[in-house]
Amino acid sequence: MAIPFNMVSGDSKRALEEFSTEFDGSFLAADSEAWSKFAGLWKTSNAIRTTYPVPVSAAGYVERKGDDKMRSLYERSLSMKTREWVDGVQELARIVEAPDFIGWAGEPARIAREAARLPDILVAEMLEANANLGFYRDEQTGTDLAIPLFSSVHPVNIFDGSLGVFDNDHSAADIDAAMMAAAFTRFRAKKGSNGKLMRLKPTHMVVPGALEQAARDFLEIDLQRYTILEGGVGPNTQLTANNRFKGIVQLVVGEDLTSETQIYLLDATANAYPWIVQSTGTPEQITYDKTDALYKDTGRIGVKYILGLACAAALPHAIERITIT
């Protein structure tokens, strides 16, 4: 009985190996640049469906006086079902084995970059869809507050309405000092479910490509210019001051965001994850060589990659949407 590996011609075998090697190198480089990783919770798992706890209570110490009370993590939870995504190429073996075949023309790198980019696409779609949060749905009673990720009526504590609500959906005239000052004030004022300040502050600004230059003009400039009307009318007095927001917030360009007016401020250090991404990790490679039915039926060899991935919104506390009007 012939060994299947030996049935692959040297040229075909070498070409498929080159495809795999180029893909692996490109995927590692592109995966490290995924913007969806910096603030969200990322989990690598081969599970078909996973349930994540979404804590309602806030961590914090109290004086011990006996009958210690401990918090439950599964008062609310979020379930995610991984979906499979695929991309690949095929070609006639006689073309790949021809003397003038010069390689895969960069296709392995393109497939690898798209695999690394897919989580960014899913997170961008999730942000712009602004669907209702599973955090506000009680699976046991079937009740749902039906509040989306961005809303003006987020309860500080879903079990205690006396603590009030908070708003993470705002607007501003421009990306400027006034917008940032207001956002910092709002983040600082947010309370956890225990009624205590969460100590939040924006660390990242995610903008669509259309607002990249406007964001850079503000975040990377040394001085800000202010106009003061003397007596409420002209002539105007021009004043300059140091841009105190330079270097405080990191700019992230969400290339896959489609809205040209919405930006997102996040505290990536808060552990109050605005989204969860579950991935099977490096895409699974399936190679079709000369031993496969593909070649026997069509004369083609090929390679494809399968990636398991899911994304869902989680908590609203450490993220704000700001619409630039």
Side-chain angles (χ1 to χ4, degrees), residues 74-93:
Y74 276 88
E75 291 179 290
R76 293 293 168 89
S77 60
L78 170 65
S79 294
M80 300 175 62
K81 186 175 182 180
T82 301
R83 293 180 288 168
E84 286 191 332
W85 310 78
V86 62
D87 191 16
V89 295
Q90 60 180 348
E91 191 50 79
L92 290 170

Side-chain angles (χ1 to χ4, degrees), residues 45-323:
S45 173
N46 289 319
I48 296 176
R49 186 178 183 90
T50 305
T51 299
Y52 295 91
V54 183
V56 174
S57 59
Y61 284 84
V62 296
E63 183 180 357
R64 191 178 190 189
K65 297 180 179 180
D67 189 20
D68 301 338
K69 297 185 182 301
M70 293 181 287
R71 297 170 291 109
S72 172
L73 291 181
Y74 276 88
E75 291 179 290
R76 293 293 168 89
S77 60
L78 170 65
S79 294
M80 300 175 62
K81 186 175 182 180
T82 301
R83 293 180 288 168
E84 286 191 332
W85 310 78
V86 62
D87 191 16
V89 295
Q90 60 180 348
E91 191 50 79
L92 290 170
R94 60 181 177 81
I95 293 179
V96 175
E97 294 174 350
D100 57 350
F101 179 73
I102 60 173
W104 297 101
E107 192 62 22
R110 286 189 287 272
I111 295 177
R113 285 195 298 269
E114 287 304 306
R117 176 191 174 194
L118 186 55
D120 289 353
I121 295 175
L122 296 185
V123 170
E125 291 176 349
M126 177 273 297
L127 291 174
E128 295 184 329
N130 196 29
N132 290 343
L133 289 177
F135 178 59
Y136 295 120
R137 184 174 57 252
D138 189 333
E139 298 290 350
Q140 294 182 346
T141 64
T143 59
D144 191 346
L145 297 180
I147 301 174
L149 176 60
F150 302 109
S151 171
S152 62
V153 292
H154 288 293
V156 172
N157 186 316
I158 60 177
F159 299 126
D160 185 358
S162 67
L163 294 178
V165 299
F166 68 89
D167 185 355
N168 71 342
D169 195 12
H170 300 276
S171 62
D174 204 352
I175 301 177
D176 56 17
M179 183 205 79
M180 290 298 296
F184 267 81
T185 299
R186 292 192 299 267
F187 269 75
R188 287 295 195 185
K190 288 180 183 178
K191 296 180 180 180
S193 58
N194 57 4
K196 296 181 179 179
L197 295 175
M198 296 181 68
R199 303 178 184 178
L200 301 176
K201 63 179 180 179
T203 61
H204 291 74
M205 179 189 296
V206 183
V207 304
L211 291 176
E212 177 183 3
Q213 298 308 315
R216 291 193 185 281
D217 287 344
F218 167 64
L219 292 175
E220 297 178 3
I221 197 170
D222 292 315
L223 299 175
Q224 291 288 303
R225 177 172 293 177
Y226 300 91
T227 299
I228 298 178
L229 297 177
E230 296 183 357
V233 295
N236 298 333
T237 300
Q238 298 288 338
L239 299 177
T240 57
N242 289 330
N243 179 12
R244 58 191 175 93
F245 294 104
K246 180 181 180 181
I248 294 180
V249 175
Q250 181 178 337
L251 177 63
V252 178
V253 182
E255 300 286 359
D256 300 294
L257 294 168
T258 60
S259 171
E260 297 184 355
T261 60
Q262 293 176 341
I263 69 171
Y264 304 89
L265 289 176
L266 307 103
D267 185 343
T269 67
N271 292 326
Y273 303 109
W275 61 77
I276 299 175
V277 173
Q278 180 172 301
S279 171
T280 53
T282 302
E284 176 189 3
Q285 176 182 298
I286 299 177
T287 301
Y288 297 86
D289 56 34
K290 282 190 170 182
T291 67
D292 291 286
L294 177 66
Y295 174 76
K296 295 172 183 176
D297 294 339
T298 68
R300 295 175 180 270
I301 61 172
V303 59
K304 70 181 179 184
Y305 293 88
I306 299 174
L307 176 62
L309 197 65
C311 168
L315 291 169
H317 305 78
I319 186 172
E320 282 193 355
R321 179 175 67 181
I322 301 178
T323 301

